[in-house]
Amino acid sequence: MNLSRPKRGFSLNEFETRTERAQALLAEQNLDAMLLTTEPNVRYFTGFDSQFWQSPTRPWFVVVPAKGKPVAVVPEIGVVGMSATWLDDVRTWPAPRPADDGITLLTQTIKEFCTSAKRLGVPLGHESLLRMPAGDFAKLSQNLEGIELVDSSGLLRQLRNIKSQEEIEKIHYICQLASDTYEALPSMLEAGLSERENCQKMRIDLLQRGADDSPFLIATSDQGGYADIIMGPKDKIVVEGDVLIIDTGTLYNGYFCDFDRNFGFGKISDECLKAYEVVYDATDAGITLAKQAGQGQSVTMADLYHEMWRVMEAGGALSNDVGRMGHGLGMQLTEGPSITPEDMTRLEPGMVITIEPGMTFAPNKQMVHEENIVITQDGAELLTKRAPKELPIIDV
């Protein structure tokens, strides 16, 4: 890998720009403030990066006002970490305190800012969630009587869809690192070992190359193709005739790559080899169309879906059972938008997406490819190293 390791963290200007963009959208939607409760959204606006989110005991809150810096409302245990970010105003309570786990303090903070339009943005829509007890959110809603709660999930999606150069550099780095591991895999994978054992080799290699973590590393194998792409790895032994797919979401400094590779063991059926070629060509078609978006043409996620499906259908595809053929990528393994027939989101420079065509080519037999790209001002660029044009075969 020729890329230099990006500097960890972000510049102050990065957070100021994110906040200014958010506040412009708050003004457009006549919102006084926006409430954030999840790790990615809190980290996006603050830079607060802690493994402590793995603990479900304590909620964490950040309020982004229409003017000024975000304000953190966090458990006392997090005051040192949050105070080390660019925020100046960090308010705390002695959590865990189930009877009032920050709700009174959060209510006071929100009311401090919601004095004009009396409208608060809260992520309530598709692909959003509230990381707080439902009962506490009900209490908060009652406490905020007279303040309208407005879904801000679209606003956040609009912000995070467009990555900064600093974000793209981190995603590019981890994509290249994982690509190097995939390219080395043929010399590591072995028939006679389980899916789990083969994947352990990959995970070790990723960490040795400098990845922070590989929380998403799935694999499945079967004769001449696979029926599922979200389970495993299992203790199933890989044998001659199997096709093994490995899909990884690996992290560097809080940013994911997300792509897969396929491997055959010994003699593979002509039908399966043909399916690999068809899906490879569909991937190329998707990337080619995405490049037109960076050249000023209007290209939607739905356009990508139809273009890739056109190639696969002509190649004998029976169906696409995954539901989409790619998605946004960044601080989360999967982000919006989705490459579906219905998603009319236009591709714009700065968007990082996965190109992920998949097809059922025979009963209970699938073939899926995936690459990561970024839309640029004059086209689109691969962030991953392109998969081999022919299915890599492992000698048995």
Side-chain angles (χ1 to χ4, degrees), residues 49-66:
D49 190 5
S50 171
Q51 297 179 51
F52 207 69
W53 288 94
Q54 297 297 324
S55 169
T57 304
R58 300 169 177 86
W60 303 71
F61 310 109
V62 167
V63 178
V64 180

Side-chain angles (χ1 to χ4, degrees), residues 222-396:
D222 207 344
Q223 290 287 291
Y226 34 84
D228 175 83
I229 62 166
I230 65 168
M231 304 302 289
K234 305 177 292 296
D235 291 324
K236 174 192 172 297
I237 302 299
V238 179
V239 298
E240 182 171 9
D242 278 351
V243 175
L244 170 71
I245 183 173
I246 302 179
D247 190 357
T248 188
T250 296
L251 281 164
Y252 173 75
N253 199 196
Y255 282 79
F256 277 98
C257 67
D258 177 21
F259 63 115
D260 65 46
R261 292 293 181 259
N262 292 274
F263 303 91
F265 289 77
K267 178 64 176 177
I268 302 298
S269 69
D270 290 341
E271 184 181 35
C272 181
L273 294 175
K274 171 65 174 177
Y276 183 95
E277 293 176 4
V278 170
V279 179
Y280 186 98
D281 290 343
T283 305
D284 275 350
I287 294 171
T288 299
L289 182 58
K291 289 181 178 179
Q292 297 179 22
Q295 297 167 352
Q297 297 189 38
S298 175
V299 179
T300 67
M301 299 294 272
D303 291 333
L304 291 179
Y305 183 97
H306 292 301
E307 178 66 6
M308 289 188 285
W309 177 245
R310 177 189 63 79
V311 175
M312 291 189 292
E313 189 174 34
L318 303 179
S319 64
N320 168 260
D321 298 329
V322 177
R324 63 181 178 181
M325 296 191 196
H327 50 79
L329 173 69
M331 298 174 72
Q332 292 173 275
L333 178 71
T334 70
E335 301 180 351
S338 293
I339 299 179
T340 66
E342 298 82 20
D343 196 320
M344 301 307 295
T345 304
R346 290 182 57 179
L347 302 185
E348 299 179 54
M351 290 177 66
V352 175
I353 62 173
T354 71
I355 300 292
E356 189 179 7
M359 71 179 192
T360 298
F361 62 91
N364 294 318
K365 301 297 179 185
Q366 295 185 47
M367 182 62 64
V368 181
H369 279 211
E370 188 172 19
E371 302 285 1
N372 301 160
I373 68 171
V374 58
I375 309 301
T376 65
Q377 292 292 341
D378 56 3
E381 295 179 2
L382 272 168
L383 299 175
T384 49
K385 295 181 180 179
R386 191 74 173 90
K389 188 171 180 59
E390 296 180 353
L391 177 67
I393 301 297
I394 311 301
D395 291 335
V396 176

Side-chain angles (χ1 to χ4, degrees), residues 72-325:
V73 181
V74 301
E76 285 182 344
I77 198 171
V79 65
V80 173
M82 188 63 77
S83 296
T85 71
W86 75 296
L87 302 194
D88 298 324
D89 193 344
V90 180
R91 308 175 186 187
T92 68
W93 81 95
R97 192 170 59 186
D100 183 6
D101 228 2
I103 299 304
T104 296
L105 182 58
L106 181 61
T107 300
Q108 294 169 351
T109 302
I110 291 171
K111 286 184 174 180
E112 180 181 326
F113 295 110
C114 289
T115 58
S116 179
K118 294 190 178 297
R119 284 164 53 89
L120 173 70
V122 183
L124 299 172
H126 182 60
E127 294 193 44
S128 67
L129 56 87
L130 289 169
R131 191 187 176 278
M132 61 188 296
D136 281 2
F137 183 66
K139 291 178 185 176
L140 178 67
S141 301
Q142 292 173 357
N143 290 352
L144 296 177
E145 184 177 1
I147 296 175
E148 182 182 3
L149 304 186
V150 180
D151 179 22
S152 60
S153 56
L155 183 157
L156 285 165
R157 189 178 308 115
Q158 185 176 347
L159 283 171
R160 288 177 49 192
N161 275 356
I162 308 301
K163 269 61 178 182
S164 70
Q165 189 58 40
E166 291 185 52
E167 290 180 288
I168 293 168
E169 287 173 358
K170 296 178 192 298
I171 300 171
H172 193 187
Y173 179 79
I174 194 59
C175 284
Q176 292 287 298
L177 185 151
S179 293
D180 289 345
T181 289
Y182 273 130
E183 289 184 347
L185 269 186
S187 65
M188 292 187 270
L189 298 176
E190 296 181 51
L193 296 182
S194 68
E195 296 170 357
R196 195 184 310 278
E197 289 169 322
N198 277 306
C199 283
Q200 285 173 345
K201 293 184 178 187
M202 179 174 177
R203 191 184 300 275
I204 290 170
D205 191 78
L206 287 165
L207 295 175
Q208 288 178 335
R209 290 178 189 272
D212 290 340
D213 193 10
S214 192
F216 183 86
L217 204 165
I218 66 171
T220 188
S221 63
D222 207 344
Q223 290 287 291
Y226 34 84
D228 175 83
I229 62 166
I230 65 168
M231 304 302 289
K234 305 177 292 296
D235 291 324
K236 174 192 172 297
I237 302 299
V238 179
V239 298
E240 182 171 9
D242 278 351
V243 175
L244 170 71
I245 183 173
I246 302 179
D247 190 357
T248 188
T250 296
L251 281 164
Y252 173 75
N253 199 196
Y255 282 79
F256 277 98
C257 67
D258 177 21
F259 63 115
D260 65 46
R261 292 293 181 259
N262 292 274
F263 303 91
F265 289 77
K267 178 64 176 177
I268 302 298
S269 69
D270 290 341
E271 184 181 35
C272 181
L273 294 175
K274 171 65 174 177
Y276 183 95
E277 293 176 4
V278 170
V279 179
Y280 186 98
D281 290 343
T283 305
D284 275 350
I287 294 171
T288 299
L289 182 58
K291 289 181 178 179
Q292 297 179 22
Q295 297 167 352
Q297 297 189 38
S298 175
V299 179
T300 67
M301 299 294 272
D303 291 333
L304 291 179
Y305 183 97
H306 292 301
E307 178 66 6
M308 289 188 285
W309 177 245
R310 177 189 63 79
V311 175
M312 291 189 292
E313 189 174 34
L318 303 179
S319 64
N320 168 260
D321 298 329
V322 177
R324 63 181 178 181
M325 296 191 196

